[in-house]
C-alpha cells in the first residue's frame, strides 16, 4: 500500500498567492478612489453617463481620471443625432447625457409686446442720456465763455490801469494856462504867464505833453498824466478824459462828440461837466464871464503878482479833481489810476 501523499506545501503556496492578489486588488481600489474628487467622495453621487465611455471610440478618455471630455461627448452626440435625423430616428427629448433637455421657463420668454415696451424704455433712457450730455456740454460752454469774458475784462482793466488820464486844454491863448505853462503849474505849483514861459523855453512846445503828478502821491504812487490840445477821436480815449480847462468860449467844445454827452447839441454845457471835471483859471483881478458861472465848472483864481499864492490854486485843482474822480470811480465810470 502506497503511503498517503499530503498537499500541505502546495496549499500553503497557493493561499499565499491568493492573499497577495487580494491585497494588490484592494490597494488598486484604494488608489482609484483617492483619484476621485474629495467632493465626489463626500457626497457619493454617481458619475454622469457621459463620464462612462459608452459612445464611439473617437471620444478621448483621460487616462488619469478615466472620464471623457464634455466637448467630445457633445460633438459625438450631435453627430449621432444628425445621422439619425436623416432617417427620422433622432430623439429630441434627451440630451447628450441621456437625460431630459433643459426646459425653458415660460415666464422667461419675453412676449412681443414686452419687447416693444423694453425697446421704448431703452429709447427713453438714450434720450435722457443725450439730454444730460447736452446739458453738461451747455454748462461747460457757459463756464468757458464766462472764463474768457472774465479774462478779457481783467486784461482790459490792466490795460486801462497802465493808460494815462487825459487833461484837455484850449489850443488858443484865451486861457492863462496853456501848452506853454500848464505842465510846470500842474507838476510843481509854479505859475508863470505863458508869454514869459515862451521866452524861457527854446522852441515851441508840443500840443501833447506828459506830466507826472506828485501832489499827495509818494514816490511809488506817482501817476503820469497826458496834457493835450487835441480832441480825442476814439470813444475809448474819451473814457480817459478826467479834466477840461475851459476858456469861456463855446467854440472850444466844437469837436466834442454830441452823441456821447447829453445836451451838447443844445449848448447845455452844464450836463457836459457832470461827466467831465471842468476848471476855469483866471486872474483874481479879472471878472468871471457870465457863461462860465452857468456851467458846472470849478472857478480858480490866480494872483497876478503874488507867486506864493500859487500853491493854494495848485492844491485846490488837485483836491477838487480827486473828489470828482473818486465819485466817478465809485459809479464805475472811471477805471484808471489817478
Amino acid at each position: 500500500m502506497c503511503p498517503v501523499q499530503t498537499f500541505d506545501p502546495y496549499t500553503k503556496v497557493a493561499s499565499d498567492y491568493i492573499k497577495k492578489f487580494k491585497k494588490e486588488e484592494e490597494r488598486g481600489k484604494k488608489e482609484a478612489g483617492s483619484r476621485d474628487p474629495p467632493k465626489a467622495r463626500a457626497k457619493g453621487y454617481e458619475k454622469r453617463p457621459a463620464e462612462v465611455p459608452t459612445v464611439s471610440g473617437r471620444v478621448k478618455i483621460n487616462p488619469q481620471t478615466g472620464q471623457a471630455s464634455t466637448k467630445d461627448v457633445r460633438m459625438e452626440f450631435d453627430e449621432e443625432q444628425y445621422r439619425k435625423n436623416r432617417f427620422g430616428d433622432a430623439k429630441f427629448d434627451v440630451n447628450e447625457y441621456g437625460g431630459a433637455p433643459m426646459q425653458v421657463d415660460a415666464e422667461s420668454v419675453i412676449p412681443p409686446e414686452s419687447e416693444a415696451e423694453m425697446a421704448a424704455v431703452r429709447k427713453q433712457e438714450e434720450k435722457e442720456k443725450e439730454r444730460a450730455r447736452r446739458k453738461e456740454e451747455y454748462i461747460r460752454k457757459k463756464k468757458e465763455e464766462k472764463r474768457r469774458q472774465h479774462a478779457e475784462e481783467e486784461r482790459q482793466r490792466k490795460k486801462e490801469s497802465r493808460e494815462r488820464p487825459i487833461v484837455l486844454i484850449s489850443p488858443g491863448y484865451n486861457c492863462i494856462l496853456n501848452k506853454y505853462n500848464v505842465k510846470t503849474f500842474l507838476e510843481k505849483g509854479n505859475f508863470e504867464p505863458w508869454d514869459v514861459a515862451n521866452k524861457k523855453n527854446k522852441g515851441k512846445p508840443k500840443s501833447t505833453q506828459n506830466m507826472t503828478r506828485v501832489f499827495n502821491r509818494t514816490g511809488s504812487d506817482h501817476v503820469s498824466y497826458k496834457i493835450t490840445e487835441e480832441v480825442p477821436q476814439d470813444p475809448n480815449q474819451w473814457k480817459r478824459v478826467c479834466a477840461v480847462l475851459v476858456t469861456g468860449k463855446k467854440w472850444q467844445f466844437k469837436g466834442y462828440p454830441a452823441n456821447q454827452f447829453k445836451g451838447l447839441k443844445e449848448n447845455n454845457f452844464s450836463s457836459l461837466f457832470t461827466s467831465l471835471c471842468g476848471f476855469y483859471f483866471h486872474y483874481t483881478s479879472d471878472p468871471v464871464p457870465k457863461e462860465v458861472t452857468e456851467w458846472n465848472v470849478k472857478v480858480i483864481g490866480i494872483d497876478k503878482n503874488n507867486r506864493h499864492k500859487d500853491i493854494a490854486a495848485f492844491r485846490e485843482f488837485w483836491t477838487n479833481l480827486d473828489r470828482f474822480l473818486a465819485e466817478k470811480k465809485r459809479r464805475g465810470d472811471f477805471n484808471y489810476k489817478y
Side-chain angles (χ1 to χ4, degrees):
M1 184 176 182
C2 294
V4 177
Q5 296 181 356
T6 61
F7 297 96
D8 291 340
Y10 301 103
T11 306
K12 186 177 181 180
V13 172
S15 83
D16 290 342
Y17 276 104
I18 292 171
K19 289 178 180 180
K20 184 177 180 180
F21 176 77
K22 288 182 178 182
K23 287 181 180 181
E24 291 180 356
E25 186 178 5
E26 290 176 0
R27 189 184 302 113
K29 289 181 179 181
K30 288 181 179 180
E31 290 178 357
S34 62
R35 286 193 295 265
D36 292 337
K39 188 175 180 181
R41 293 198 306 272
K43 291 187 177 181
Y45 64 86
E46 296 180 355
K47 296 182 180 180
R48 298 178 303 173
E51 296 175 353
V52 181
T54 56
V55 290
S56 70
R58 289 195 304 162
V59 178
K60 297 181 180 180
I61 306 300
N62 192 329
Q64 295 182 355
T65 60
Q67 299 177 2
S69 171
T70 304
K71 182 179 178 182
D72 293 342
V73 172
R74 180 65 187 178
M75 291 178 64
E76 182 70 17
F77 178 78
D78 290 344
E79 291 180 4
E80 183 179 357
Q81 290 294 92
Y82 174 74
R83 289 194 300 270
K84 291 181 178 180
N85 189 42
R86 295 175 62 187
F87 303 101
D89 296 333
K91 295 181 180 180
F92 299 103
D93 56 345
V94 295
N95 57 16
E96 62 271 27
Y97 302 115
M102 183 180 65
Q103 300 294 330
V104 179
D105 190 2
E107 295 181 358
S108 63
V109 179
I110 302 176
E113 57 272 12
S114 299
E115 291 184 357
E117 292 176 1
M118 291 181 65
V121 170
R122 285 194 295 269
K123 188 175 181 180
Q124 184 66 24
E125 290 177 353
E126 291 177 359
K127 287 183 178 180
E128 292 293 336
K129 289 181 180 179
E130 181 66 18
R131 189 180 295 109
R133 187 190 65 79
R134 290 181 179 179
K135 184 178 180 181
E136 185 178 356
E137 183 69 15
Y138 174 79
I139 294 174
R140 186 188 64 79
K141 288 182 178 180
K142 282 293 182 182
K143 287 183 178 180
E144 184 66 19
E145 182 180 353
K146 189 175 181 180
R147 185 191 65 79
R148 287 197 300 266
Q149 183 179 0
H150 179 72
E152 180 63 23
E153 291 176 354
E154 185 68 16
R155 186 189 65 81
Q156 185 66 21
R157 187 187 64 80
K158 290 182 179 180
K159 180 182 178 181
E160 291 176 352
S161 65
R162 292 192 299 267
E163 292 178 340
R164 300 181 179 94
I166 298 175
V167 177
L168 291 180
I169 61 176
S170 175
Y173 304 99
N174 295 326
C175 184
I176 62 175
L177 286 177
N178 51 37
K179 63 183 177 181
Y180 293 97
N181 59 355
V182 65
K183 180 177 179 180
T184 305
F185 177 76
L186 295 182
E187 277 187 339
K188 303 176 182 179
N190 298 332
F191 175 79
E192 283 183 332
W194 67 268
D195 51 347
V196 176
N198 186 27
K199 292 178 182 179
K200 287 184 179 180
N201 297 327
K202 295 180 180 180
K204 189 176 180 180
K206 296 180 179 180
S207 59
T208 300
Q209 307 173 52
N210 294 326
M211 57 151 283
T212 303
R213 173 187 175 170
V214 297
F215 176 73
N216 279 350
R217 297 291 183 270
T218 60
S220 59
D221 292 335
H222 288 173
V223 183
S224 179
Y225 280 71
K226 179 181 178 181
I227 306 173
T228 181
E229 296 177 347
E230 301 173 359
V231 177
Q233 302 299 322
D234 187 359
N236 292 326
Q237 290 183 349
W238 274 106
K239 295 179 181 179
R240 296 161 51 194
V241 176
C242 61
V244 180
L245 305 187
V246 301
T247 62
K249 306 297 181 180
K250 295 181 180 180
W251 59 263
Q252 182 182 357
F253 312 110
K254 185 177 181 181
Y256 286 39
N259 59 346
Q260 192 166 347
F261 301 106
K262 294 181 179 180
L264 200 59
K265 289 183 179 180
E266 297 79 12
N267 293 329
N268 183 9
F269 300 110
S270 59
S271 62
L272 169 67
F273 293 110
T274 58
S275 302
L276 304 176
C277 190
F279 293 92
Y280 177 76
F281 286 90
H282 71 107
Y283 289 120
T284 54
S285 58
D286 296 339
V288 179
K290 183 180 179 181
E291 292 83 358
V292 174
T293 58
E294 296 176 355
W295 300 345
N296 187 21
V297 298
K298 180 66 178 176
V299 179
I300 300 176
I302 295 179
D303 196 284
K304 218 170 197 179
N305 301 313
N306 298 319
R307 298 279 64 82
H308 66 278
K309 295 183 179 180
D310 296 342
I311 194 67
F314 169 75
R315 290 176 178 273
E316 188 176 3
F317 170 80
W318 286 115
T319 303
N320 282 277
L321 181 60
D322 287 347
R323 188 183 300 115
F324 179 85
L325 293 180
E327 179 62 24
K328 194 174 181 180
K329 189 171 185 178
R330 187 187 64 81
R331 298 195 306 263
D333 298 334
F334 193 81
N335 299 319
Y336 303 94
K337 185 177 180 181
Y338 61 93

